[in-house]
Amino acid sequence: MKFKIISNVNQKEWNEYLQLSDYSTFFQTAEFLLKKNSERYPLFIYIYNDSDEIQAQLGMMISKSKSGYSTKILKKLVNLSSKIGGRGSWVSGPIIHSNDESIRTEILRTLFSALDKIAKDHKLMIIDGYTPPQDFQINEKYVDEFKKNGFIKQNFLTLMTHLDDDIEILWKKIKKNARNDVTKAKRENVIVKEISTKNELINYKQLTKQWAKTKGIDLINTVNVDEDWLFFKNGIQKFFLAYQENEIVAGLRVGCFNNIVYTHQVLNSYSKIGNVAGPLLTWNAIEWAKNNGMKIYDFSGGEAPPSIKKNMNKYDEQWSSLFSYKRKWGGDEVPYYHFIKIFNKNRYKLYRALSKPDMFLRNYKKRHFKRPQEKSIN
């Protein structure tokens, strides 16, 4: 096996090879990865056999700085932490074009050599990535290969529904409280619209900023509307908005590729008391996926419960409400993994230390955000 690392690809060719796998998602598409800017850029890895046949693919982003989701007051500190070292990351990969376990193992070992070269050439502090939840051939041997190469493993869960059933059966699989919320939203005249114009996308972006403030986040970097409009035109992302009394109250973005739909972003303005627009948006997206011939709807997920019970309180504080919502939709729980390899432990510790004040302030602002309250009746 041998590898090739390139910074640009023939988009059509890359995506066509991805579609030879039944578990590749929009995260690995050329369009999504090529959204480079001054703070990040993509790299594409091909793995070949001795006959020069493509055996695997992995697209990743090299980031020079931390996410734009940060607090402005600590921007200088965040910028300092970002100069300590770069990060290479991927989502939903690698995509391996073989079912033979021995070949898959050889591919992984070749991939690790490529990642080590990338870390050296691009002076990376850390490389991390998430495995594809729909790759059901991932087993302990696969995981052990990452561990032997110095990666730390974190367990994650996602929830997904196979869309083979009729829409009526999919509806019945949903928990009663979710069905009630959908029915209530319709009764309250919440209207869902699939975005079809650039102005509507701009409205979605404004909702993103409004939502971010409820989470204690100030969006430092301006979001590129043109980029997301291109994703929409290419069909790899769809956007939905929910209106109530002519006001935008919620939004949903899904990734679409290879007949797999993935919940990429869920937004709420929190401007309406008892707003149930979110469930209606989710059900509308499921209907859209079913009507457009998609095979899997992935509700996305998060970190799996810790093995040590004493850590459950902290875990529940972060994840319980999210999983409670996602489990309403009748999806199957599917494990996947987050692998992390640290190339400079001292710099990574310093990076983590410098990032803590930023996270503390976010959480403080999130806890103290005042949502609308019902007025008491005397």
Side-chain angles (χ1 to χ4, degrees):
M1 295 282 179
K2 52 192 174 182
F3 62 82
K4 180 169 72 172
I5 304 166
I6 52 180
S7 58
N8 208 340
V9 290
N10 180 308
Q11 295 184 33
K12 185 173 182 292
E13 179 186 80
W14 177 268
N15 289 347
E16 284 179 349
Y17 275 111
L18 286 180
Q19 288 177 308
L20 296 177
S21 161
D22 60 4
Y23 61 82
S24 58
T25 68
F26 85 106
F27 285 114
Q28 285 291 310
T29 60
E31 292 91 344
F32 185 78
L33 291 161
L34 285 168
K35 57 175 188 176
K36 59 185 177 181
N37 56 39
S38 60
E39 296 181 348
R40 63 183 181 186
Y41 53 91
L43 291 176
F44 299 86
I45 304 171
Y46 278 116
I47 307 292
Y48 299 90
N49 62 15
D50 293 337
S51 301
D52 288 331
E53 296 169 327
I54 294 172
Q55 300 295 294
Q57 299 164 263
L58 180 67
M60 64 189 301
M61 297 297 298
I62 307 300
S63 302
K64 300 177 184 178
S65 69
K66 204 176 176 185
S67 168
Y69 286 179
S70 189
T71 46
K72 290 181 181 179
I73 194 171
L74 293 173
K75 184 178 179 180
K76 291 183 179 179
L77 187 60
V78 172
N79 287 341
L80 177 62
S81 70
S82 69
K83 293 178 181 178
I84 292 172
R87 172 184 177 182
S89 58
W90 77 83
V91 179
S92 200
I95 306 303
I96 299 177
H97 302 300
S98 175
N99 295 323
D100 185 287
E101 187 170 70
S102 62
I103 293 176
R104 286 169 63 89
T105 298
E106 189 177 356
I107 287 169
L108 287 178
R109 291 172 181 174
T110 306
L111 175 63
F112 297 145
S113 297
L115 293 175
D116 286 344
K117 177 174 173 54
I118 288 170
K120 181 180 179 181
D121 292 349
H122 296 264
K123 299 179 174 60
L124 300 183
M125 172 182 61
I126 181 176
I127 284 181
D128 73 305
Y130 295 86
T131 61
Q134 292 82 17
D135 182 358
F136 300 119
Q137 285 192 269
I138 293 177
N139 54 22
E140 281 302 314
K141 186 174 181 180
Y142 181 105
V143 171
D144 286 343
E145 287 298 325
F146 274 89
K147 289 180 178 179
K148 285 189 289 187
N149 196 256
F151 282 85
I152 302 165
K153 183 195 73 167
Q154 292 180 333
N155 297 321
F156 274 65
L157 287 174
T158 192
L159 290 101
M160 65 178 73
T161 290
H162 291 268
L163 300 173
D164 301 327
D165 293 327
D166 292 337
I167 197 69
E168 293 81 9
I169 296 175
L170 293 173
W171 173 254
K172 289 178 180 178
K173 286 182 177 180
I174 297 170
K175 289 187 176 181
K176 185 177 179 180
N177 56 353
R179 296 200 304 267
N180 288 343
D181 285 343
V182 172
T183 302
K184 180 184 177 185
K186 291 180 178 179
R187 190 168 61 247
E188 294 178 350
N189 297 316
V190 177
I191 298 171
V192 172
K193 179 172 174 41
E194 181 184 345
I195 286 177
S196 59
T197 70
K198 202 167 187 178
N199 283 338
E200 290 170 338
L201 181 58
I202 292 171
N203 290 337
Y204 182 93
K205 294 299 184 182
Q206 292 301 319
L207 178 65
T208 304
K209 292 182 179 180
Q210 189 177 350
W211 165 85
K213 288 181 179 179
T214 72
K215 305 300 179 184
I217 298 168
D218 294 319
L219 292 177
I220 292 174
N221 297 328
T222 303
V223 181
N224 191 334
V225 174
D226 291 334
E227 186 176 85
D228 278 323
W229 180 247
L230 182 61
F231 292 162
F232 166 77
K233 298 292 284 185
N234 288 339
I236 66 167
Q237 285 193 351
K238 295 291 181 184
F239 300 84
F240 301 90
L241 287 171
Y243 297 79
Q244 188 173 12
E245 298 174 350
N246 296 318
E247 178 186 343
I248 297 172
V249 293
L252 176 66
R253 168 165 50 176
V254 296
C256 317
F257 182 74
N258 202 24
N259 294 324
I260 298 173
V261 177
Y262 179 89
T263 300
H264 195 199
Q265 188 177 48
V266 181
L267 306 173
N268 198 311
S269 68
Y270 299 109
S271 61
K272 298 286 186 182
I273 299 169
N275 176 12
V276 288
L280 182 60
L281 275 171
T282 298
W283 174 245
N284 185 273
I286 293 171
E287 287 187 304
W288 176 89
K290 175 65 179 177
N291 293 336
N292 284 273
M294 302 296 165
K295 301 300 182 185
I296 294 175
Y297 193 103
D298 189 333
F299 297 96
S300 76
E303 192 173 334
S307 56
I308 303 173
K309 288 186 177 180
K310 69 178 182 179
N311 296 332
M312 278 302 297
N313 288 339
K314 185 177 180 181
Y315 173 84
D316 285 340
E317 183 180 345
Q318 181 175 0
W319 295 106
S320 63
S321 61
L322 180 142
F323 275 114
S324 177
Y325 178 81
K326 292 178 183 295
R327 288 186 174 111
K328 292 180 179 181
W329 300 97
D332 299 319
E333 291 191 15
V334 178
Y336 66 106
Y337 305 102
H338 180 207
F339 289 113
I340 305 166
K341 186 172 184 178
I342 301 166
F343 291 88
N344 190 314
K345 292 183 178 180
N346 290 331
R347 287 191 173 190
Y348 183 67
K349 287 179 181 178
L350 181 58
Y351 167 81
R352 297 270 294 180
L354 290 172
S355 300
K356 283 182 179 179
D358 182 59
M359 185 58 67
F360 175 83
L361 185 55
R362 286 192 205 183
N363 290 334
Y364 176 85
K365 291 167 71 176
K366 179 181 176 180
R367 288 194 302 269
H368 290 79
F369 174 77
K370 293 182 179 180
R371 299 186 184 184
Q373 302 290 326
E374 295 277 6
K375 293 181 179 178
S376 61
I377 300 174
N378 296 325

